[in-house]
Amino acid sequence: MIRKMKKIYIITSVLLLSVIVSCKKDFLERPPLNQVSEATFWKNANDVYLAVNGVYNQLPGDDMVYDDAAADNAHAQYPWESSATAVSSGNVNSTLDAGWGFIGIGRANYFLDNADKVTGMDKTLLDRYKAEVRFIRANAYFWLISKFGDVPLSTKTVELGRENIPRTPKAEVLKFVVDELDAIAKILPQSYAGGKPNEKGRITKGAALALKARAHLYEGQWQLAADAASQVMTLGYDLFKVTAEDALNAKDNYSAWVDFANADDEKKFRVGLRSYEALFYQANEGNVEVILDRQRIPQQDANFLNTLLPSGDLGGWGSIAPTQELVNSYPSYKTGDLITPPSPAQRAAWYKAKDPAFKNEYRNRDPRFYASILFDGNPWNAIQDDYSFKWTEGAGNTALTGYSVRKMVDPKIYRDQIDNHANNILIRYAEVLLTYAEAKNELTGPDASVYDALDKIRTRAGMPVVDRSKYATQETLRALIRNERRVELAIEGQRYMDIRRWKIAPQLMKPIYSIADAAKPIQERTWNDKLYLMPIPQDQIDLSKGVLKQNSGY
């Protein structure tokens, strides 16, 4: 929902839009017969404003982090929290619901079917509201086809008795999504000045074009992806940066982990680390890098990242635990190249023996590593005086992989002992640069524009620019781009689709182990090609009386 709305607006919006949520779980939600009457609503511009805001809460939120745990970046420790544990294990059947749902689409359709009933409203504003809602519907359909392939496409409120709609081919739904994004990009503004009904955080032209770029990228439509990303790159977005550290951050002793060449080198490293981690903090929400975020209302609508992600010693659950493979993907701060990690057996032996060599693999790594991963010895005075992470095998709420997530955890919120109300960033400018780099490299191979896009991201993080001589071919640069995407977007929900669209999931989805035991798996993981798509939940097939057809393999 839009930030800074009054509580009564939120309650009214949700009450109104409960009209379109079914009392029983049909596979396409239909309106019940006994809720808010249409005759008492759709009377004035404020009704429309409230209704739009009620649709906004269907944007994704904290749950996006679980998609990394459904892939090879993380381990979801608690099966009851999400479908990620089952999906990552490969133990998937038609009893699983991996996100099949049409509530957001139903709300959007209901709004679009009724908004024109209001008379005397400014047409330009009404068209903009419709464009915002059309984006939310397009985004919902995009995620459905990404996970399930063919899905029922409905652009009108589903009438009672006609809710069993067959699946529409994915290509048709994708075309619908892209056409919608094209159309609304012509209507939506580049930014909002603030104040009702122009609150900052509403959906913009940039969000429509960035989602279009993502959709084309996922489908391997390189020219279209590069073109859409190029359009976003002209709209004034930039990478968030800080120029200095505060007093608490300055206390972190990174000279124990990084062999700095001189004072300037240390400053570059530290400012890069702080720039990257701070872009997710509540104090910096809505910064120049944010293209789309799921708004949170201060003191009313908390996110749960400060609970889900950190370890038990910080009051967290360690729900999403980084894997060793994610840790291995962070390159050398000195060279910009991937490091050669010790074998799992050697690492475990060093850990058991308390050998100082255990910590050597954490030296001289990408600043984003220190900003993202809580590894044994990582200092973090911002969250607690003299704090450094200590992994203890078997401790309560301690991630079994040996690592916890630091990224997106807000240390000021922890110190203040209040809920985290930071907006969930859904699309940011760094992703657009990575989309452009990948698409352009796949089209033509390396060129100056590809290197420049990557260098912007790496420089912001304090990393060396790309070595043009070492990454001079399409193949070598492809590998670097893919790793850069993994590191930059870690735990942001992109990895699930990345390993599927690149067709590398069969090689990556393998058992994961404790850092202290290379022989006993924490989680067995296997791959079957049916997992490129998730199953339609069997109860939804049953409710459709067989109109819905199951994906292959389930």
Side-chain angles (χ1 to χ4, degrees), residues 297-337:
I297 303 169
Q299 311 314 317
Q300 295 182 42
D301 182 24
N303 74 51
F304 293 96
L305 297 180
N306 269 40
T307 299
L308 290 176
L309 299 179
S311 55
D313 63 331
L314 294 174
W317 296 346
S319 297
I320 308 296
T323 61
Q324 185 64 51
E325 293 304 314
L326 175 60
V327 169
N328 293 347
S329 71
Y330 288 90
S332 164
Y333 169 68
K334 295 296 187 179
T335 67
D337 299 328

Side-chain angles (χ1 to χ4, degrees), residues 1 228 346 376 393 459 538:
M1 288 190 190
Q346 180 64 79
D376 202 272
E393 187 177 9
T459 300
Q538 186 60 47

Side-chain angles (χ1 to χ4, degrees), residues 18-72:
S18 69
V19 170
I20 60 164
V21 179
S22 176
C23 291
K24 78 171 187 177
K25 192 178 180 183
D26 291 327
F27 82 88
L28 284 182
E29 281 75 15
R30 64 191 184 192
L33 303 177
N34 59 351
Q35 304 228 3
V36 179
S37 169
E38 291 180 24
T40 64
F41 209 80
W42 308 114
K43 294 298 185 183
N44 54 50
N46 193 59
D47 289 348
V48 180
Y49 172 79
L50 295 176
V52 173
N53 294 344
V55 180
Y56 262 86
N57 74 354
Q58 293 301 301
L59 284 172
D62 309 347
D63 53 333
M64 300 302 290
V65 302
Y66 287 103
D67 278 352
D68 271 48
D72 61 331

Side-chain angles (χ1 to χ4, degrees), residues 446-512:
D447 68 19
S449 68
V450 176
Y451 291 124
D452 287 347
L454 295 170
D455 286 347
K456 284 184 174 71
I457 295 169
R458 290 165 72 92
T459 300
R460 185 270 292 276
M463 285 289 286
V465 298
V466 178
D467 187 327
R468 269 66 166 166
S469 61
K470 189 174 294 185
Y471 299 98
T473 68
Q474 184 184 60
E475 183 177 7
T476 56
L477 193 56
R478 177 187 294 130
L480 183 140
I481 290 169
R482 290 183 176 184
N483 194 75
E484 190 70 23
R485 185 174 171 90
R486 183 179 196 179
V487 166
E488 177 68 24
L489 303 179
I491 319 298
E492 294 182 47
Q494 296 289 319
R495 187 65 176 174
Y496 175 88
M497 280 305 301
D498 282 349
I499 66 173
R500 282 162 170 77
R501 66 187 180 87
W502 292 331
K503 304 298 183 186
I504 60 175
Q507 291 77 52
L508 300 179
M509 296 308 293
K510 53 190 179 183
I512 55 175

Side-chain angles (χ1 to χ4, degrees), residues 179-483:
D179 287 349
E180 283 285 273
L181 296 172
D182 271 335
I184 64 179
K186 296 179 175 68
I187 300 170
L188 292 166
Q190 290 188 29
S191 62
Y192 293 90
K196 181 182 176 181
N198 298 300
E199 295 94 341
K200 294 181 179 180
R202 288 188 177 273
I203 293 159
T204 61
K205 176 188 184 75
L209 293 173
L211 182 59
K212 179 185 172 187
R214 183 189 284 178
H216 287 310
L217 185 79
Y218 278 18
E219 294 303 310
Q221 298 168 335
W222 307 122
Q223 186 66 64
L224 294 170
D227 290 346
S230 294
Q231 287 182 273
V232 181
M233 291 159 67
T234 68
L235 297 180
Y237 297 104
D238 202 352
L239 299 178
F240 175 81
K241 298 174 186 175
V242 301
T243 57
E245 293 182 296
D246 63 23
L248 286 173
N249 282 325
K251 291 172 64 179
D252 291 344
N253 180 19
Y254 283 110
S255 62
W257 295 104
V258 182
D259 301 317
F260 296 116
N262 49 46
D264 287 341
D265 186 38
E266 181 172 3
K267 181 178 179 181
K268 176 172 73 79
F269 172 93
R270 298 178 77 102
V271 169
L273 189 162
R274 303 310 178 194
S275 295
Y276 182 72
E277 70 178 355
L279 78 92
F280 300 100
Y281 293 169
Q282 185 173 334
N284 299 318
E285 63 186 14
N287 63 66
V288 69
E289 186 166 346
V290 176
I291 297 175
L292 174 67
D293 56 3
R294 201 288 194 181
Q295 300 284 297
R296 298 284 179 179
I297 303 169
Q299 311 314 317
Q300 295 182 42
D301 182 24
N303 74 51
F304 293 96
L305 297 180
N306 269 40
T307 299
L308 290 176
L309 299 179
S311 55
D313 63 331
L314 294 174
W317 296 346
S319 297
I320 308 296
T323 61
Q324 185 64 51
E325 293 304 314
L326 175 60
V327 169
N328 293 347
S329 71
Y330 288 90
S332 164
Y333 169 68
K334 295 296 187 179
T335 67
D337 299 328
L338 289 175
I339 58 103
T340 301
S343 70
Q346 180 64 79
R347 183 183 298 109
W350 283 336
Y351 176 80
K352 291 292 189 184
K354 296 182 170 52
D355 191 317
F358 170 73
K359 296 188 177 182
N360 283 343
E361 70 171 305
Y362 306 137
R363 296 186 59 80
N364 297 317
R365 302 291 285 275
D366 187 320
R368 290 169 292 187
F369 170 64
Y370 304 94
S372 302
I373 309 295
L374 285 173
F375 64 89
D376 202 272
N378 192 4
W380 200 6
N381 278 277
I383 203 163
Q384 188 173 292
D385 290 342
D386 301 320
Y387 178 85
S388 66
F389 179 67
K390 176 65 177 176
W391 185 70
T392 304
E393 187 177 9
N397 289 354
T398 294
L400 298 177
T401 62
Y403 306 100
S404 284
V405 177
R406 170 168 167 168
K407 180 178 176 178
M408 295 184 283
V409 177
D410 193 326
K412 185 178 186 304
I413 299 300
Y414 177 85
R415 277 185 172 265
D416 292 346
Q417 291 296 293
I418 59 176
D419 288 338
N420 188 350
H421 294 91
N423 298 336
N424 299 116
I425 300 176
L426 304 179
I427 307 177
R428 57 187 179 93
Y429 188 56
E431 181 196 340
V432 173
L433 294 175
L434 288 164
T435 293
Y436 176 82
E438 180 180 348
K440 188 69 172 172
N441 185 59
E442 294 299 331
L443 276 171
T444 62
D447 68 19
S449 68
V450 176
Y451 291 124
D452 287 347
L454 295 170
D455 286 347
K456 284 184 174 71
I457 295 169
R458 290 165 72 92
T459 300
R460 185 270 292 276
M463 285 289 286
V465 298
V466 178
D467 187 327
R468 269 66 166 166
S469 61
K470 189 174 294 185
Y471 299 98
T473 68
Q474 184 184 60
E475 183 177 7
T476 56
L477 193 56
R478 177 187 294 130
L480 183 140
I481 290 169
R482 290 183 176 184
N483 194 75

